[in-house]
Amino acid sequence: MSHASRHVLILGGTTEARRLAADLAAEPGLRVTTSLAGRVAAPRLPDSEVRIGGFGGPEGLARWLREHAVDALIDATHPFAGTISHNAAEAAATAHVPLLALRRPGWVPAPGDDWHPVASLDAAAALLPTLPGTRIFLTTGRMGLAHFAHLTDLWFLVRSVDAPEPPHPPRMTTVLDRGPFTLEGERDLLRKHRIDILVTKDSGAAATAPKLTAAREAGIPVVVVSRPPTPEGVPEVADPEDAVNWLRGHAMR
């Protein structure tokens, strides 16, 4: 295989994936393709070739890896994109392609935080009626609203990039917005909507972390959904620079 034909596939959709694609654009003799799931109507596109849409499960992804002569696969999807991560692990093993997970670090509670860790969206929904307050700021994304649709006695403020579709809670107001968010903006949002409880996933993103500070300042409890683990046996790094270094030992050597 010639040096000019080396091909890296990034499973993207995150800030880290875009940064990695930009970093790799300067590498000579390297072809980079970023795959996006297509769940956002107007995604932020990286500095690389882009394909949009699913692969058809692990078998489809393995076939794509072979047909496009991929030399290394980097899973830089959202920390909660568990299905594609497991599909990537199975496909990489089938196609004998090196796989790396690029995951931003999770959030760490600070003094004064009132966090309630849960393992899933269903567990978060079950916990909400036991906490004081009825006005919920739900920042877990529009795809998971069905888990809260049965909570008819609670009012929800939902923030997402695109408008949510049913099923969702009947008492709900939607704010269409995309991070990064400012601390002052988050403070205003909590005050304006008289929020009692914040619900979030441990995405670890700095762009959405100000809501945690605003909740701490306001004495608001935060229900934090824990992220799923990286598939067993898949190496993991937290920074695009570390991913480039890993690649230099695989597809770029």
Side-chain angles (χ1 to χ4, degrees), residues 154-243:
L154 303 178
W155 177 90
F156 291 88
L157 174 66
V158 172
R159 180 166 64 194
S160 65
V161 176
D162 297 317
E165 299 178 354
H168 54 63
R171 302 175 60 205
M172 183 181 82
T173 295
T174 303
V175 174
L176 299 182
D177 203 356
R178 188 201 302 258
F181 303 108
T182 66
L183 177 55
E184 190 54 43
E186 300 293 62
R187 288 168 176 157
D188 289 343
L189 203 63
L190 296 184
R191 284 195 297 263
K192 176 182 177 181
H193 294 280
R194 296 177 285 113
I195 297 300
D196 300 313
I197 303 165
L198 169 66
V199 182
T200 187
K201 293 177 177 178
D202 180 17
S203 65
T208 56
K211 63 189 172 188
L212 301 174
T213 303
R216 182 191 315 127
E217 293 175 348
I220 292 173
V222 182
V223 178
V224 182
V225 182
S226 301
R227 58 174 63 180
T230 299
E232 186 176 355
V234 176
E236 180 177 344
V237 297
D239 187 271
E241 182 179 352
D242 294 329

Side-chain angles (χ1 to χ4, degrees), residues 125-142:
L127 179 63
L128 285 178
T130 72
L131 297 176
T134 59
R135 299 180 66 83
I136 318 298
F137 185 18
L138 188 60
T139 65
T140 54
R142 65 188 176 92

Side-chain angles (χ1 to χ4, degrees), residues 14-245:
T14 60
T15 300
E16 291 75 23
R18 291 190 295 274
R19 283 178 51 199
L20 177 60
D23 290 346
L24 293 178
E27 295 288 338
L30 189 69
R31 176 188 171 195
V32 179
T33 303
T34 297
S35 177
L36 304 176
R39 290 181 176 176
V40 176
R44 292 172 175 167
L45 298 179
D47 296 330
S48 67
E49 296 179 33
V50 175
R51 71 169 299 281
I52 296 179
F55 291 94
E59 299 86 0
L61 177 53
R63 184 167 53 251
W64 201 96
L65 295 175
R66 293 194 198 97
E67 291 176 352
H68 293 81
V70 172
D71 296 284
L73 175 61
I74 297 183
D75 174 14
T77 56
H78 191 277
F80 282 84
T83 298
I84 185 60
S85 294
H86 282 87
N87 288 352
E90 185 175 336
T94 299
H96 304 290
V97 172
L99 170 63
L100 177 74
L102 173 57
R103 294 283 185 271
R104 65 181 76 123
W107 288 319
V108 177
D113 279 327
D114 181 14
W115 284 15
H116 300 259
V118 293
S120 65
L121 291 175
D122 284 334
L127 179 63
L128 285 178
T130 72
L131 297 176
T134 59
R135 299 180 66 83
I136 318 298
F137 185 18
L138 188 60
T139 65
T140 54
R142 65 188 176 92
M143 304 301 290
L145 294 182
H147 297 270
F148 302 88
H150 63 287
L151 297 175
T152 57
D153 293 334
L154 303 178
W155 177 90
F156 291 88
L157 174 66
V158 172
R159 180 166 64 194
S160 65
V161 176
D162 297 317
E165 299 178 354
H168 54 63
R171 302 175 60 205
M172 183 181 82
T173 295
T174 303
V175 174
L176 299 182
D177 203 356
R178 188 201 302 258
F181 303 108
T182 66
L183 177 55
E184 190 54 43
E186 300 293 62
R187 288 168 176 157
D188 289 343
L189 203 63
L190 296 184
R191 284 195 297 263
K192 176 182 177 181
H193 294 280
R194 296 177 285 113
I195 297 300
D196 300 313
I197 303 165
L198 169 66
V199 182
T200 187
K201 293 177 177 178
D202 180 17
S203 65
T208 56
K211 63 189 172 188
L212 301 174
T213 303
R216 182 191 315 127
E217 293 175 348
I220 292 173
V222 182
V223 178
V224 182
V225 182
S226 301
R227 58 174 63 180
T230 299
E232 186 176 355
V234 176
E236 180 177 344
V237 297
D239 187 271
E241 182 179 352
D242 294 329
V244 173
N245 291 333

